Short mmCIF file of all heavy atoms in Angstrom, two decimals:
data_model
loop_
_atom_site.label_atom_id
_atom_site.label_comp_id
_atom_site.label_asym_id
_atom_site.label_seq_id
_atom_site.Cartn_x
_atom_site.Cartn_y
_atom_site.Cartn_z
N ASP A 142 123.91 98.79 91.07
CA ASP A 142 124.22 99.68 89.83
C ASP A 142 125.00 100.91 90.44
O ASP A 142 124.80 101.26 91.55
CB ASP A 142 123.01 100.02 89.13
CG ASP A 142 122.35 98.92 88.44
OD1 ASP A 142 123.07 97.89 88.15
OD2 ASP A 142 121.10 98.99 88.18
N THR A 143 125.76 101.39 89.52
CA THR A 143 126.56 102.69 89.90
C THR A 143 125.92 103.95 89.44
O THR A 143 125.51 104.07 88.33
CB THR A 143 128.01 102.65 89.28
OG1 THR A 143 128.65 101.39 89.77
CG2 THR A 143 128.80 103.87 89.70
N ALA A 144 125.65 104.84 90.38
CA ALA A 144 125.13 106.16 90.04
C ALA A 144 126.24 107.18 89.83
O ALA A 144 127.30 107.03 90.35
CB ALA A 144 124.19 106.70 91.25
N SER A 145 125.87 108.15 88.95
CA SER A 145 127.04 109.10 88.56
C SER A 145 126.94 110.16 89.68
O SER A 145 126.11 111.11 89.60
CB SER A 145 126.66 109.71 87.12
OG SER A 145 126.78 108.77 86.21
N LEU A 146 127.90 110.09 90.58
CA LEU A 146 127.83 111.02 91.67
C LEU A 146 129.14 111.90 91.57
O LEU A 146 130.16 111.51 91.14
CB LEU A 146 127.98 110.28 93.08
CG LEU A 146 126.71 109.37 93.32
CD1 LEU A 146 126.83 108.78 94.80
CD2 LEU A 146 125.36 110.16 93.16
N TYR A 147 128.95 113.22 92.04
CA TYR A 147 130.16 114.19 92.14
C TYR A 147 130.25 114.78 93.36
O TYR A 147 129.42 114.68 94.34
CB TYR A 147 129.90 115.30 91.04
CG TYR A 147 129.70 114.79 89.66
CD1 TYR A 147 128.39 114.31 89.22
CD2 TYR A 147 130.71 114.71 88.76
CE1 TYR A 147 128.17 113.84 87.93
CE2 TYR A 147 130.56 114.28 87.42
CZ TYR A 147 129.30 113.90 87.04
OH TYR A 147 129.07 113.43 85.72
N ALA A 148 131.53 115.35 93.71
CA ALA A 148 131.66 116.03 95.01
C ALA A 148 130.75 117.19 95.04
O ALA A 148 130.58 117.90 94.01
CB ALA A 148 133.09 116.50 95.10
N LEU A 149 130.23 117.40 96.21
CA LEU A 149 129.16 118.55 96.36
C LEU A 149 129.58 119.36 97.43
O LEU A 149 130.21 119.08 98.39
CB LEU A 149 127.80 117.92 96.66
CG LEU A 149 127.18 116.86 95.72
CD1 LEU A 149 125.88 116.29 96.31
CD2 LEU A 149 126.83 117.61 94.43
N GLU A 150 129.09 120.70 97.39
CA GLU A 150 129.24 121.55 98.54
C GLU A 150 127.88 122.06 98.92
O GLU A 150 127.02 122.26 98.20
CB GLU A 150 130.06 122.84 98.17
CG GLU A 150 130.27 123.87 99.32
CD GLU A 150 131.19 125.00 98.88
OE1 GLU A 150 132.20 124.65 98.19
OE2 GLU A 150 130.94 126.11 99.29
N LEU A 151 127.70 121.97 100.30
CA LEU A 151 126.39 122.47 100.94
C LEU A 151 126.38 123.95 101.07
O LEU A 151 127.33 124.50 101.71
CB LEU A 151 126.12 121.82 102.14
CG LEU A 151 126.02 120.21 102.10
CD1 LEU A 151 125.97 119.64 103.44
CD2 LEU A 151 124.78 119.82 101.34
N GLY A 152 125.33 124.62 100.68
CA GLY A 152 125.08 126.09 100.91
C GLY A 152 124.42 126.31 102.25
O GLY A 152 124.16 125.43 103.01
N GLU A 153 124.19 127.54 102.55
CA GLU A 153 123.67 127.97 103.80
C GLU A 153 122.17 127.98 103.48
O GLU A 153 121.72 128.54 102.51
CB GLU A 153 124.08 129.32 104.20
CG GLU A 153 125.54 129.34 104.59
CD GLU A 153 126.00 130.71 105.16
OE1 GLU A 153 125.38 131.24 106.04
OE2 GLU A 153 127.03 131.22 104.57
N ASP A 154 121.37 127.64 104.47
CA ASP A 154 119.84 127.58 104.32
C ASP A 154 119.20 127.86 105.60
O ASP A 154 118.80 126.92 106.39
CB ASP A 154 119.42 126.22 103.71
CG ASP A 154 117.93 126.31 103.12
OD1 ASP A 154 117.26 127.30 103.53
OD2 ASP A 154 117.65 125.47 102.26
N ALA A 155 119.08 129.13 106.04
CA ALA A 155 118.44 129.43 107.33
C ALA A 155 117.03 129.07 107.47
O ALA A 155 116.52 128.72 108.44
CB ALA A 155 118.64 131.06 107.53
N GLU A 156 116.32 129.10 106.30
CA GLU A 156 114.94 128.73 106.26
C GLU A 156 114.79 127.24 106.63
O GLU A 156 113.84 126.82 107.29
CB GLU A 156 114.29 129.01 104.98
CG GLU A 156 114.18 130.45 104.63
CD GLU A 156 113.33 130.69 103.35
OE1 GLU A 156 112.92 129.73 102.78
OE2 GLU A 156 113.21 131.94 103.00
N ALA A 157 115.75 126.32 106.04
CA ALA A 157 115.65 124.96 106.45
C ALA A 157 115.96 124.67 107.82
O ALA A 157 115.32 123.80 108.39
CB ALA A 157 116.69 124.20 105.48
N ASP A 158 116.88 125.46 108.47
CA ASP A 158 117.15 125.26 109.87
C ASP A 158 115.90 125.68 110.73
O ASP A 158 115.49 124.94 111.64
CB ASP A 158 118.31 126.29 110.24
CG ASP A 158 119.57 125.83 109.81
OD1 ASP A 158 119.68 124.68 109.28
OD2 ASP A 158 120.65 126.64 110.00
N LEU A 159 115.25 126.78 110.26
CA LEU A 159 114.08 127.17 111.06
C LEU A 159 112.88 126.24 110.88
O LEU A 159 112.20 125.92 111.73
CB LEU A 159 113.58 128.49 110.50
CG LEU A 159 112.40 129.12 111.26
CD1 LEU A 159 112.60 129.43 112.75
CD2 LEU A 159 111.98 130.48 110.61
N ARG A 160 112.76 125.65 109.74
CA ARG A 160 111.76 124.60 109.51
C ARG A 160 111.92 123.36 110.42
O ARG A 160 110.94 122.84 111.04
CB ARG A 160 111.73 124.08 108.07
CG ARG A 160 110.80 122.91 107.73
CD ARG A 160 110.90 122.40 106.39
NE ARG A 160 110.02 121.21 106.22
CZ ARG A 160 109.87 120.57 105.13
NH1 ARG A 160 110.52 120.91 103.91
NH2 ARG A 160 109.07 119.45 104.93
N ALA A 161 113.22 122.88 110.38
CA ALA A 161 113.50 121.75 111.33
C ALA A 161 113.23 122.11 112.80
O ALA A 161 112.63 121.31 113.59
CB ALA A 161 115.00 121.39 111.27
N ALA A 162 113.50 123.29 113.27
CA ALA A 162 113.26 123.76 114.66
C ALA A 162 111.84 123.84 115.00
O ALA A 162 111.44 123.35 116.01
CB ALA A 162 114.08 124.98 114.90
N THR A 163 111.08 124.37 114.06
CA THR A 163 109.66 124.70 114.42
C THR A 163 108.93 123.41 114.38
O THR A 163 107.89 123.25 115.05
CB THR A 163 109.10 125.77 113.36
OG1 THR A 163 109.28 125.30 112.05
CG2 THR A 163 109.62 127.14 113.68
N ALA A 164 109.37 122.40 113.58
CA ALA A 164 108.73 121.11 113.49
C ALA A 164 108.90 120.45 114.85
O ALA A 164 107.87 119.62 115.19
CB ALA A 164 109.38 120.26 112.39
N LEU A 165 109.94 120.71 115.62
CA LEU A 165 110.02 120.05 116.93
C LEU A 165 109.54 120.95 118.03
O LEU A 165 109.05 120.44 118.99
CB LEU A 165 111.48 119.82 117.08
CG LEU A 165 112.10 118.88 116.09
CD1 LEU A 165 113.62 118.71 116.29
CD2 LEU A 165 111.49 117.43 116.15
N LEU A 166 109.78 122.24 117.92
CA LEU A 166 109.50 123.20 119.12
C LEU A 166 108.31 124.01 118.88
O LEU A 166 107.94 124.75 119.89
CB LEU A 166 110.67 124.12 119.20
CG LEU A 166 112.10 123.47 119.36
CD1 LEU A 166 113.20 124.50 119.46
CD2 LEU A 166 112.14 122.54 120.64
N GLY A 167 107.61 123.92 117.78
CA GLY A 167 106.34 124.77 117.66
C GLY A 167 106.73 126.04 116.94
O GLY A 167 107.96 126.47 116.86
N GLN A 168 105.63 126.78 116.50
CA GLN A 168 105.81 128.12 115.87
C GLN A 168 106.40 129.24 116.63
O GLN A 168 107.05 130.10 116.16
CB GLN A 168 104.55 128.48 115.29
CG GLN A 168 103.91 127.59 114.25
CD GLN A 168 104.91 127.42 113.01
OE1 GLN A 168 105.39 128.29 112.50
NE2 GLN A 168 105.08 126.17 112.58
N GLU A 169 106.15 129.18 118.00
CA GLU A 169 106.71 130.18 118.83
C GLU A 169 108.11 129.88 119.29
O GLU A 169 108.40 129.66 120.55
CB GLU A 169 105.76 130.40 120.02
CG GLU A 169 104.30 130.87 119.68
CD GLU A 169 103.42 131.07 120.87
OE1 GLU A 169 104.04 130.98 121.98
OE2 GLU A 169 102.28 131.40 120.75
N VAL A 170 109.04 129.76 118.31
CA VAL A 170 110.40 129.42 118.70
C VAL A 170 111.26 130.59 118.62
O VAL A 170 110.99 131.60 117.84
CB VAL A 170 110.85 128.40 117.70
CG1 VAL A 170 110.92 128.93 116.28
CG2 VAL A 170 112.26 127.83 117.96
N LEU A 171 112.27 130.65 119.55
CA LEU A 171 113.13 131.79 119.64
C LEU A 171 114.62 131.38 119.19
O LEU A 171 115.06 130.36 119.69
CB LEU A 171 113.14 132.46 121.02
CG LEU A 171 111.87 132.95 121.59
CD1 LEU A 171 112.05 133.35 123.01
CD2 LEU A 171 111.47 134.13 120.67
N ALA A 172 115.22 132.20 118.27
CA ALA A 172 116.69 131.97 118.02
C ALA A 172 117.50 132.55 119.25
O ALA A 172 117.32 133.76 119.53
CB ALA A 172 117.03 132.62 116.66
N GLN A 173 118.33 131.67 119.79
CA GLN A 173 119.14 132.15 120.88
C GLN A 173 120.16 133.17 120.44
O GLN A 173 120.72 133.03 119.30
CB GLN A 173 119.77 130.99 121.67
CG GLN A 173 118.70 130.06 122.20
CD GLN A 173 119.29 129.00 123.01
OE1 GLN A 173 120.42 128.91 123.29
NE2 GLN A 173 118.35 127.93 123.39
N ASP A 174 120.63 134.08 121.42
CA ASP A 174 121.55 135.10 121.06
C ASP A 174 122.97 134.52 120.79
O ASP A 174 123.72 135.12 119.98
CB ASP A 174 121.74 135.94 122.33
CG ASP A 174 120.42 136.82 122.60
OD1 ASP A 174 119.70 136.94 121.60
OD2 ASP A 174 120.23 137.31 123.64
N ASP A 175 123.26 133.31 121.20
CA ASP A 175 124.62 132.81 121.01
C ASP A 175 124.69 131.98 119.71
O ASP A 175 125.57 131.28 119.50
CB ASP A 175 125.18 131.96 122.20
CG ASP A 175 124.08 130.93 122.64
OD1 ASP A 175 122.91 131.05 122.18
OD2 ASP A 175 124.50 130.08 123.50
N SER A 176 123.62 132.08 118.89
CA SER A 176 123.76 131.52 117.49
C SER A 176 124.78 132.21 116.66
O SER A 176 125.01 133.40 116.83
CB SER A 176 122.34 131.63 116.71
OG SER A 176 121.34 130.88 117.53
N THR A 177 125.32 131.50 115.81
CA THR A 177 126.44 131.96 114.89
C THR A 177 126.06 131.55 113.36
O THR A 177 125.11 130.85 113.20
CB THR A 177 127.83 131.39 115.31
OG1 THR A 177 127.82 129.91 115.00
CG2 THR A 177 128.07 131.57 116.62
N ARG A 178 126.98 131.94 112.64
CA ARG A 178 126.77 131.66 111.19
C ARG A 178 126.82 130.04 110.95
O ARG A 178 126.18 129.60 110.01
CB ARG A 178 127.81 132.28 110.34
CG ARG A 178 127.80 131.97 108.78
CD ARG A 178 129.01 132.56 108.07
NE ARG A 178 128.95 132.18 106.64
CZ ARG A 178 129.85 132.42 105.73
NH1 ARG A 178 130.90 133.24 106.10
NH2 ARG A 178 129.87 132.09 104.55
N TYR A 179 127.62 129.44 111.77
CA TYR A 179 127.79 127.99 111.62
C TYR A 179 127.05 127.14 112.49
O TYR A 179 126.98 125.88 112.32
CB TYR A 179 129.34 127.67 111.85
CG TYR A 179 130.26 128.55 111.02
CD1 TYR A 179 131.11 129.37 111.62
CD2 TYR A 179 130.25 128.47 109.61
CE1 TYR A 179 131.93 130.28 110.93
CE2 TYR A 179 131.09 129.27 108.86
CZ TYR A 179 131.95 130.16 109.47
OH TYR A 179 132.78 130.98 108.76
N GLN A 180 126.39 127.77 113.49
CA GLN A 180 125.52 127.01 114.41
C GLN A 180 124.33 127.73 114.82
O GLN A 180 124.43 129.00 115.31
CB GLN A 180 126.32 126.63 115.69
CG GLN A 180 125.60 125.79 116.68
CD GLN A 180 126.59 125.24 117.74
OE1 GLN A 180 127.12 124.31 117.65
NE2 GLN A 180 126.72 126.04 118.79
N SER A 181 123.19 127.04 114.68
CA SER A 181 121.92 127.76 115.01
C SER A 181 121.38 127.26 116.26
O SER A 181 121.26 125.91 116.39
CB SER A 181 120.89 127.66 113.92
OG SER A 181 121.41 128.26 112.74
N LEU A 182 120.94 128.06 117.34
CA LEU A 182 120.32 127.41 118.55
C LEU A 182 118.96 128.03 118.72
O LEU A 182 118.69 129.22 118.45
CB LEU A 182 121.24 127.98 119.65
CG LEU A 182 122.67 127.50 119.67
CD1 LEU A 182 123.43 128.22 120.88
CD2 LEU A 182 122.86 126.07 119.75
N TYR A 183 117.97 127.16 118.96
CA TYR A 183 116.59 127.55 119.09
C TYR A 183 116.01 126.98 120.34
O TYR A 183 116.52 126.04 120.88
CB TYR A 183 115.77 126.95 117.97
CG TYR A 183 116.14 127.48 116.57
CD1 TYR A 183 117.17 126.66 115.76
CD2 TYR A 183 115.69 128.61 115.99
CE1 TYR A 183 117.49 127.11 114.57
CE2 TYR A 183 116.03 129.05 114.72
CZ TYR A 183 117.03 128.29 114.05
OH TYR A 183 117.33 128.77 112.80
N SER A 184 115.04 127.68 120.95
CA SER A 184 114.30 127.21 122.16
C SER A 184 112.87 127.70 122.13
O SER A 184 112.46 128.57 121.47
CB SER A 184 115.07 127.82 123.35
OG SER A 184 114.96 129.36 123.34
N SER A 185 112.18 126.98 122.90
CA SER A 185 110.71 127.26 123.13
C SER A 185 110.30 126.50 124.37
O SER A 185 111.08 125.84 125.13
CB SER A 185 109.86 126.84 121.95
OG SER A 185 109.65 125.42 121.95
N ALA A 186 108.97 126.60 124.73
CA ALA A 186 108.53 125.91 125.86
C ALA A 186 108.55 124.40 125.75
O ALA A 186 108.47 123.61 126.78
CB ALA A 186 107.05 126.33 126.22
N ASP A 187 108.78 123.95 124.45
CA ASP A 187 108.80 122.51 124.15
C ASP A 187 110.16 122.02 124.09
O ASP A 187 110.28 120.77 123.92
CB ASP A 187 108.10 122.27 122.81
CG ASP A 187 106.54 122.52 122.89
OD1 ASP A 187 105.91 122.34 124.02
OD2 ASP A 187 105.98 122.85 121.91
N GLY A 188 111.20 122.76 124.36
CA GLY A 188 112.60 122.29 124.45
C GLY A 188 113.60 123.13 123.64
O GLY A 188 113.34 124.32 123.43
N THR A 189 114.73 122.50 123.42
CA THR A 189 115.78 123.28 122.69
C THR A 189 116.28 122.45 121.54
O THR A 189 116.09 121.25 121.46
CB THR A 189 116.99 123.47 123.64
OG1 THR A 189 117.59 122.18 124.05
CG2 THR A 189 116.61 124.37 124.76
N CYS A 190 116.89 123.22 120.45
CA CYS A 190 117.35 122.54 119.25
C CYS A 190 118.70 123.23 118.90
O CYS A 190 118.78 124.42 118.90
CB CYS A 190 116.32 122.64 118.11
SG CYS A 190 116.86 121.85 116.73
N GLN A 191 119.61 122.36 118.54
CA GLN A 191 120.97 122.87 118.07
C GLN A 191 121.23 122.31 116.73
O GLN A 191 121.29 121.15 116.57
CB GLN A 191 122.07 122.49 119.16
CG GLN A 191 123.45 123.12 118.85
CD GLN A 191 124.37 122.81 119.94
OE1 GLN A 191 124.13 123.06 121.02
NE2 GLN A 191 125.54 122.24 119.55
N ILE A 192 121.56 123.21 115.73
CA ILE A 192 121.78 122.86 114.38
C ILE A 192 123.10 123.30 113.92
O ILE A 192 123.33 124.50 113.91
CB ILE A 192 120.72 123.22 113.47
CG1 ILE A 192 119.29 122.79 113.98
CG2 ILE A 192 120.97 122.82 111.99
CD1 ILE A 192 118.17 123.38 113.20
N SER A 193 123.99 122.42 113.38
CA SER A 193 125.34 122.88 112.95
C SER A 193 125.36 122.66 111.40
O SER A 193 124.96 121.61 110.90
CB SER A 193 126.50 122.21 113.70
OG SER A 193 127.61 122.34 113.01
N ARG A 194 126.09 123.52 110.72
CA ARG A 194 126.37 123.44 109.27
C ARG A 194 127.15 122.17 108.96
O ARG A 194 127.05 121.55 107.93
CB ARG A 194 127.06 124.63 108.74
CG ARG A 194 126.22 125.86 108.44
CD ARG A 194 126.83 126.70 107.37
NE ARG A 194 126.99 126.15 106.11
CZ ARG A 194 127.78 126.35 105.20
NH1 ARG A 194 128.64 127.42 105.41
NH2 ARG A 194 127.83 125.82 103.99
N SER A 195 127.96 121.70 110.02
CA SER A 195 128.77 120.51 109.79
C SER A 195 127.90 119.27 109.71
O SER A 195 128.48 118.23 109.43
CB SER A 195 129.74 120.41 110.94
OG SER A 195 129.14 120.20 112.22
#
Side-chain angles (χ1 to χ4, degrees):
D142 293 332
T143 299
S145 297
L146 302 183
Y147 301 85
L149 302 173
E150 181 173 321
L151 295 171
E153 297 182 51
D154 196 339
E156 290 185 4
D158 288 353
L159 184 59
R160 173 183 175 179
T163 55
L165 299 172
L166 305 178
Q168 295 300 317
E169 296 183 4
V170 64
L171 296 176
Q173 297 184 12
D174 294 336
D175 48 352
S176 294
T177 67
R178 177 183 176 187
Y179 310 113
Q180 183 169 271
S181 301
L182 305 173
Y183 300 92
S184 62
S185 78
D187 293 328
T189 60
C190 182
Q191 181 173 311
I192 305 171
S193 171
R194 280 202 66 204
S195 66

